[in-house]
Amino acid sequence: MSDLQALLLGLIQGLTEYLPVSSSGHLTIGQELLGVSGDDNLTFDVAVHVATVLSTLVILWKEVSWIFKGLFKWQWNEETKYVVNILVSMIPVGIVGIFFKDYVEEIFGSGLFIVGLMLLLTAALLAFSYYSRPRQKEKISVKDAFIIGVAQAAAVMPGLSRSGSTIATGLLLGNKKEKLAQFSFLMVIPPILGEALLDVVKAVKGGAEAAVGDLSLSALAIGFAAAFLAGCFACKWMINIVKKGKLIYFAIYCAIVGAVTIVMSVI
C-alpha cells in the first residue's frame, strides 16, 4: 500500500463512518478502484477504525465526560440510564459478531453487486425516515435503544450504512434529532473497538506478515491521521445535518452510487 492509497482510504474511512453512506461499502469500492486487497494490511484496518473512535471522543467529549461523571456517582441517574441504553443497543451486534461472523465475512467478500444493493436499501431507508412524521419522544427508551441496535447489527452488511440505519431507525421511532445523532455516534464506539480487536486476533493468528502485508510506517501514520481528521469533520458535520433534517440529500447520493456500483459489478 502506497502513502497515497493510505491517504485516500483513510479519508474514505473517516468521512463515511459518520456520513450515512456506508463506510464498508465505500471502502470496498475504494479498494477495488485503487487495487488494494481487503484481505491485506489488517494493521491498517485496525488503525483507521481506532482513529475514527478517537475522532468521536474528541467531538463528543462534553457528552462523554458527562456520562462518566454521572456514572461514577454510583447512582441510578440519567447518565446511568444512558449507559444502559448503549449497552442494550450493543446486544444485537454482539450476537451477530459472535455467532454469525464467518457468514458476514463471506458476504463481505461477495463483490460489488451486494454493495450496490445495500446502498440502494440505505437510500430507501433514509428517504422513508425523511418523509415520515412520527410522534416525537422526549427520551430514547430502552426499547428504542434495542431496536436501533438491531439496525446497527443489520448494517454489518457491506453498503448498508451504520449511521444511516441507526439514525433513520431512531427518527422513524420518533426520537428527537439532536439527541439521536449523539446517541448514534456514541453507541458505535464499542462495536468499532470490538471489530478492531477481532482484527487484531485475526492478525495474530495469521502471523505478522499477514497483519502488516506491504504496509509501511509512513502509510500507517498517514492513514491514521487522515481517518482521524476526516472523522472529526464528518462527525461534527453530520450532527448538524441531522438537526436540520437534511438526510434526503444522502438518500439521493446513495441511490446514485448504488446504481453505478451495480452497473460496475456486471460490466
Side-chain angles (χ1 to χ4, degrees), residues 94-254:
I95 293 174
V96 171
I98 294 173
F99 297 104
F100 302 101
K101 183 175 182 294
D102 293 338
Y103 179 69
V104 170
E105 288 182 346
E106 183 180 340
I107 295 176
F108 266 80
S110 57
L112 292 179
F113 184 75
I114 187 67
V115 172
L117 289 178
M118 291 300 103
L119 281 169
L120 292 181
L121 181 57
T122 298
L125 188 58
L126 290 172
F128 191 55
S129 67
Y130 178 78
Y131 289 107
S132 177
R133 293 292 183 269
R135 187 174 181 179
Q136 292 290 296
K137 302 176 183 178
E138 289 299 321
K139 297 179 181 179
I140 298 175
S141 66
V142 174
K143 178 182 177 181
D144 285 358
F146 181 80
I147 296 174
I148 295 172
V150 172
Q152 177 176 241
V156 299
M157 293 287 290
L160 186 57
S161 169
R162 178 153 39 191
S163 63
S165 298
T166 54
I167 291 173
T169 300
L171 291 175
L172 290 171
L173 292 171
N175 293 292
K176 289 189 173 181
K177 299 173 182 176
E178 57 272 15
K179 295 181 179 179
L180 179 60
Q182 294 176 357
F183 180 77
S184 174
F185 294 151
L186 289 173
M187 69 179 279
V188 82
I189 292 178
I192 289 179
L193 290 177
E195 184 178 355
L197 180 60
L198 290 175
D199 285 341
V200 170
V201 173
K202 184 177 180 180
V204 171
K205 290 181 178 180
E209 184 177 350
V212 178
D214 59 352
L215 182 66
S216 66
L217 184 60
S218 62
L220 182 63
I222 290 172
F224 183 92
F228 174 76
L229 294 175
C232 288
F233 169 77
C235 183
K236 190 170 184 178
W237 186 36
M238 188 60 197
I239 290 174
N240 292 328
I241 288 175
V242 174
K243 289 179 180 179
K244 295 177 181 179
K246 301 296 185 180
L247 295 180
I248 189 62
Y249 299 114
F250 291 101
I252 296 172
Y253 171 82
C254 286

Side-chain angles (χ1 to χ4, degrees), residues 1-17 22-49 51-52 214-215 219-231:
M1 181 184 297
S2 68
D3 290 351
L4 179 58
Q5 289 173 327
L7 174 63
L8 294 175
L9 291 176
L11 289 173
I12 291 172
Q13 167 63 28
L15 286 172
T16 58
E17 185 64 51
S22 176
S23 62
S24 61
H26 278 70
L27 274 177
T28 300
I29 296 171
Q31 289 168 348
E32 287 281 343
L33 294 176
L34 294 173
V36 178
S37 173
D39 296 328
D40 295 334
N41 302 314
L42 289 176
T43 300
F44 181 83
D45 292 340
V46 172
V48 294
H49 277 89
T52 53
D214 59 352
L215 182 66
L220 182 63
I222 290 172
F224 183 92
F228 174 76
L229 294 175

